[in-house]
Structures are given as structure tokens and as C-alpha cells.
Amino acid sequence: MTEGALEVAGLAYAYDGALAVRNVSFTVEPGEIVALLGANGAGKSTTVKMLAGVLRPQHGTIRFGGRDITGAPSHVVVRQGITLVPEGRLVFPQMTVAENLRLGAHTRERSRVPTLMDRAFDLFPRLAERRGQLAGSMSGGEQQMLAIARGLMAEPRLIILDEPSLGLMPKVTQELFRLIATINRDGLSVLLVEQNLHQSLRIAHRGHVLEKGEVVMAGTGQELLADDYVRRAFLGR
Ligand code: ATP
């Protein structure tokens, strides 16, 4: 078993009888960026909530680093090395940048926090300049950077980003994707959940397309970008 690989097999979840995820299987190997793509309602968020221990799968298994974590609660999942940055950049608006970051490290030894904080500020210099600013007063792009930086404070082996580009201007999105590629080059695995096909596949090693709760297509970024079905489903959106 590969150290740090995520293996998802046959996941299913229904809300009050309405199937949101019917059969989702994929893997993320250590050091990979894997994109999970799909339109609104395809089941992307439901899938990542199961991976992060927010929802309990009704079928299927989740293994990480060879360990079965199916149905494990979120605090256990975080300790295993998986961190979810949820959709909607849920930073604490009335707390400062530094306070938000510190919260991200609640599973780490307290003595480790200054090192982690320095690392976050190296990676996100804009947050360093604004460490004393209330998170709620920052721009959407800055709040997204903060949400990711806070996720990194848990020192994950795999970070799951749920629609990080949602609502951001194209230029900010570009900067964000560059940053995601940078944190990946430092060795972190990334599951990138997106509707933004082009930008995601440019940095992802592989992608999976989700439709009505099922993986309907998988391949490398180049393969997916060249595929007729993917073009029809996504281009001109
Ligand atoms: P989006 O990009 O809009 O977030 P998504 O691909 O992440 O879409 P999900 O949020 O997983 O999709 O939703 C999949 C299906 O499950 C949709 O039909 C949605 O309406 C339904 N759903 C999601 N959350 C709930 C909930 N809490 N209760 C009932 N149905 C839900």
C-alpha cells in the first residue's frame, strides 16, 4: 500500500432518499493533484463531505495510507492527514488573519504553531501584511487564500479544496491556481473540486468528471481537455 494514497471505492449517499452520490471511485496518489469536475448538483460537495468525515457514506469505502477511514468523524480524518477547505471560504470574519490561522493548527502541538505560521506567511505574503486585519474585511480572493493557509496549518498530507475559484475574478483565480501548484510541488497531494475545467486541468495530473453522482469519465488533463463529451458538457457554459 502506498503511503498517503487516497482510495475511494463505490461511494454512495442519499439525502432523505434522494441519491446525490451513486457510485464514486477514484484514487489520489501521493504528490498528485487530482481534479474532481462536474456541474452544479453533480455530487462533488457530497463526495468531499464523506471524505472529510462530515457525512457518513451509506455505501463504499474510503482508505487513506492503507487505513480504512470509512465513516470516521472529521477530527479523526484530520489527524490521519486529510484537511478539507470547504466551499464558500468559511473563515471567521470577526477574527484576525493570525487568529484564523492559529485555529487551523488546533490538532498540532502548540510549540509547532510559530513555525507553521511563518511557513504560511512565506507562502502567502499578502496574509503576512494583513495578519492583524479582521478576516471579514478582506477581499474574496484574500479570504480564499486564508482558508487554504488555515487548512495547511493542520499539516495535512492531502488537502481537499472545494470550489476554491468560486466567485473570484479571473486574475485572482489564476493566482490561486498558481499557489495550488506551488503547495503541490512541496509534496502535498491535492484533491481539487472545481467547475472551472480549464484552469483545473492545466495544473491537475488527472481528472474525474462527475455527473448525477457518478464518475462518467477519467483521464489526464490533456485527455479530458481534448474529449468531445467534456467539451460539450463544459465549454460555452
Ligand atoms: P455545487 O457545485 O452546486 O455545490 P455539487 O456537485 O457539489 O454541486 P452537491 O452539493 O453534492 O453537488 O449536491 C448533489 C445533490 O444533492 C444535489 O441534487 C443537491 O440538491 C442535493 N443535496 C445537497 N445537499 C443536500 C442536503 N443537505 N439536503 C438535501 N439534498 C441535498
Side-chain angles (χ1 to χ4, degrees):
M1 190 56 50
T2 326
E3 174 69 13
L6 175 74
E7 300 165 290
V8 177
L11 279 193
Y13 192 86
Y15 296 98
D16 295 325
L19 261 179
V21 170
R22 49 184 83 225
N23 183 15
V24 169
S25 305
F26 64 90
T27 58
V28 182
E29 298 297 333
E32 267 193 319
I33 301 181
V34 172
L36 198 57
L37 305 158
N40 275 326
K44 305 181 299 296
S45 293
T46 304
T47 299
V48 298
K49 282 179 185 162
M50 287 189 271
L51 302 181
V54 178
L55 293 175
R56 209 185 157 82
Q58 291 157 352
H59 287 284
T61 54
I62 304 167
R63 296 175 71 81
F64 186 61
R67 203 178 283 230
D68 189 343
I69 56 161
T70 316
S74 49
H75 68 271
V76 173
V77 174
V78 171
R79 282 178 204 278
Q80 291 298 320
I82 300 179
T83 293
L84 168 66
V85 179
E87 187 179 330
R89 37 183 171 275
L90 306 172
V91 296
F92 294 98
Q94 299 300 334
M95 289 184 164
T96 65
V97 166
E99 286 164 346
N100 267 279
L101 288 176
R102 223 169 271 124
L103 280 178
H106 72 277
T107 56
R108 314 313 296 169
E109 294 277 340
R110 197 175 290 180
S111 59
R112 183 113 187 94
V113 174
T115 309
L116 291 172
M117 197 82 96
D118 285 347
R119 198 193 283 174
F121 289 144
D122 276 350
L123 203 51
F124 302 89
R126 195 120 36 98
L127 296 181
E129 291 161 19
R130 291 159 187 266
R131 67 183 77 196
Q133 185 173 332
L134 291 184
S137 66
M138 297 201 302
S139 74
E142 288 161 354
Q143 289 189 32
Q144 184 62 68
M145 305 286 177
L146 175 57
I148 295 174
R150 189 179 61 186
L152 294 175
M153 293 291 287
E155 296 193 275
R157 288 186 286 163
L158 167 70
I159 193 160
I160 304 175
L161 306 173
D162 193 356
E163 298 210 29
S165 77
L166 197 70
L168 299 184
M169 312 234 295
K171 200 164 152 259
V172 180
T173 301
Q174 257 177 24
E175 188 188 340
L176 178 74
F177 278 70
R178 260 200 306 274
L179 258 160
I180 296 170
T182 304
I183 59 177
N184 168 253
R185 273 195 295 276
D186 293 340
L188 184 67
S189 313
V190 179
L191 180 61
L192 179 59
V193 178
E194 269 291 342
Q195 296 192 30
N196 189 331
L197 176 96
H198 273 286
Q199 305 256 28
S200 322
L201 288 180
R202 211 173 287 155
I203 62 165
H205 300 100
R206 294 184 297 121
H208 296 79
V209 179
L210 217 60
E211 199 180 271
K212 297 196 179 100
E214 275 183 289
V215 176
V216 292
M217 190 158 297
T220 65
Q222 285 311 312
E223 284 165 355
L224 291 177
L225 281 171
D227 188 272
D228 272 352
Y229 169 86
V230 173
R231 283 167 183 274
R232 259 184 281 123
F234 285 91
L235 296 184
R237 273 164 45 87

